[in-house]
Amino acid sequence: MSTVYIETYGCQMNVSDSELMYGKLQAEGYAPVDSPVGADVVLVNTCAIRENAEQRVIGRLGELRRDLKPGAVLGVTGCMAQRLGPRLLETDTRVQLVVGPDAYRLLPQLIEGARNGERSTATDFDLEEHYEDFTARRFEGVKAWIPVQRGCDYRCTYCIVPTTRGPERSRRLAEVVRETQEVAAQGITEVVLLGQTVNSYHDGSADFADLLRAVGAVDGIRRVRYTSPHPNDFSDRVIAAMAETPAVCEHVHLPMQSGSTAMLKRMLRRYSREDYLACVERLRAAIPGLAITTDIIVGFPAESDEEFADTLSLCRAVRFDDAFTFKFSAREGTPATRMPPEWTIPAAVVDARYEALVATVRGIAREKNLGRLGERMEVLVEKEARKGGELLQARSRDFKTVLVSGTPDLVGRYLTVELTGTTGATFTGTPVQERQPLPMAV
Ligand code: 5AD
Ligand code: SF4
């Protein structure tokens, strides 16, 4: 039997796409393996969001060349494949396949062709494509990624995603519910709904509020998460659905990008600093105990000291539980690359701002986390933190990582823990017996 190995870079959407590709190829008779060494087909599922993501892949392709057995097929899939297309075949002569996110249906036949020596590129967008007839081959046993929307119709000026993933389209609600029921039947209790601007989901008759309620009502599903929403798509309906659906977790990842209204305009984010804060307040008012995490970019063209200070002050105003911080990376073809060259921020300034931002974000998270020691909460055990060390990694509903000692048989189980320590970012916890009601005296 032929074997296939897929190496995944980038976001959860890519992880989910790799699961779909594995599923499709398995159905076609390929056995998934967990190493490129000796595999018949090796696919690298790539990300193009920042320059360094692509550099990593280029470096990795060089390494893989050495691991490949003679005659093995090497392919590049995902956003970098879509972005570079045939250019990838020119720069790396070992690569035989370049397949974009909407063309995975063609993989079996393209691989066949490659085995006969062909080299090909498949990068057409397909607005109907949701891979409904593929069965994802999942490797994560505790939670399931469920794509509900592909592509993006926003045009944030820094972002390559609209180019690499095409226009926005939503899966039908009934299909999302069907897949949720399937994973629940396999014993999975947590689902993560994925979309580039997931809360703009609309399948023609149902919106994201309907989707949250429908998925949250599936038997056996105890936790529903979603990523990433856009602040402008938090309608009252969506917030109410989040608040009123018990399975939907008390966490939202709400990309802010910048705290300056002028900067947000240059980024074409379509909201102001005040709009963002108002969105946070509406969410917090509706959902007690809501944790909020975010994405922030520093060094976008023309970022002034004042604008950067606005980013720090909005972080302090919101008090994020955590933030992913990025240095701006110019992506070929995006509107940001057409801004005046004198707007470019010197690398040393970007570095200094980046460090200041990380220190601010960490300081806030640490303060918040220290304040929670002693709290009791429900966690879901996700995996062994260290193989054999009897240390487990668990997660709270509000997305805190909690390390708990215990044996691997607890993976997939829910425990009540007391938070006993924190590094500032993650917690340690001790399982506590749920207090039983005392027997009535007779
Ligand atoms: N440079 C730096 N960061 C970027 N992001 C998206 N595009 C870029 C870019 N060109 C960040 C945004 C987004 C996250 C997924 O990646 O913060 O929310
Ligand atoms: Fe990129 Fe903006 Fe779309 Fe997010 S919303 S994928 S940042 S264009």
Side-chain angles (χ1 to χ4, degrees), residues 275-294:
D275 295 336
Y276 185 89
L277 252 181
C279 181
V280 165
E281 275 158 19
R282 285 164 65 229
L283 284 160
R284 283 193 168 142
I287 304 147
L290 182 74
I292 303 182
T293 56
T294 198

Side-chain angles (χ1 to χ4, degrees), residues 270-440:
R270 306 164 202 252
Y271 53 82
S272 64
R273 173 190 176 93
E274 289 70 31
D275 295 336
Y276 185 89
L277 252 181
C279 181
V280 165
E281 275 158 19
R282 285 164 65 229
L283 284 160
R284 283 193 168 142
I287 304 147
L290 182 74
I292 303 182
T293 56
T294 198
D295 291 339
I296 304 167
I297 299 175
V298 293
F300 187 81
E303 184 181 58
S304 66
D305 286 339
E306 293 72 34
E307 287 170 348
F308 177 64
D310 283 345
T311 292
L312 294 183
S313 79
L314 192 52
C315 288
R316 288 192 206 97
V318 175
R319 292 178 61 77
F320 292 110
D321 288 85
D322 199 3
F324 294 102
T325 47
F326 306 104
K327 295 177 189 172
F328 169 67
S329 167
R331 309 308 290 129
E332 185 188 6
T334 57
T337 59
R338 294 189 288 277
M339 290 175 178
E342 61 274 20
W343 284 13
T344 303
I345 308 298
V349 176
V350 177
D351 291 350
R353 285 181 185 162
Y354 185 79
E355 269 172 42
L357 177 63
V358 169
T360 301
V361 161
R362 283 202 190 140
I364 295 164
R366 184 185 181 79
E367 247 177 61
K368 288 188 83 161
N369 289 341
L370 278 170
R372 299 191 57 181
L373 293 180
E375 223 176 271
R376 287 182 177 201
M377 56 172 64
E378 178 199 83
V379 294
L380 168 58
V381 180
E382 291 187 333
K383 57 184 172 198
E384 283 180 274
R386 250 186 269 124
K387 282 273 177 243
E390 303 225 328
L391 194 60
L392 305 171
Q393 182 186 305
R395 207 169 283 275
S396 67
R397 286 177 61 89
D398 64 352
F399 211 60
K400 302 293 178 188
T401 301
V402 185
L403 298 176
V404 191
S405 59
T407 46
D409 56 294
L410 291 175
V411 170
R413 298 259 296 272
Y414 288 84
L415 306 174
T416 303
V417 297
E418 183 171 315
L419 299 181
T420 49
T422 178
T423 61
T426 61
F427 289 93
T428 47
T430 315
V432 288
Q433 208 67 39
E434 298 250 32
R435 209 165 291 158
Q436 300 294 325
L438 289 175
M440 283 222 290

Side-chain angles (χ1 to χ4, degrees), residues 159-187:
C159 190
I160 194 73
V161 167
T163 315
T164 62
R165 288 195 166 266
E168 175 185 327
R169 68 223 97 131
S170 295
R171 276 176 90 178
R172 295 225 320 281
L173 177 138
E175 297 286 359
V176 178
V177 169
R178 173 190 57 79
E179 189 174 358
T180 306
Q181 286 165 336
E182 280 168 18
V183 301
Q186 294 159 15

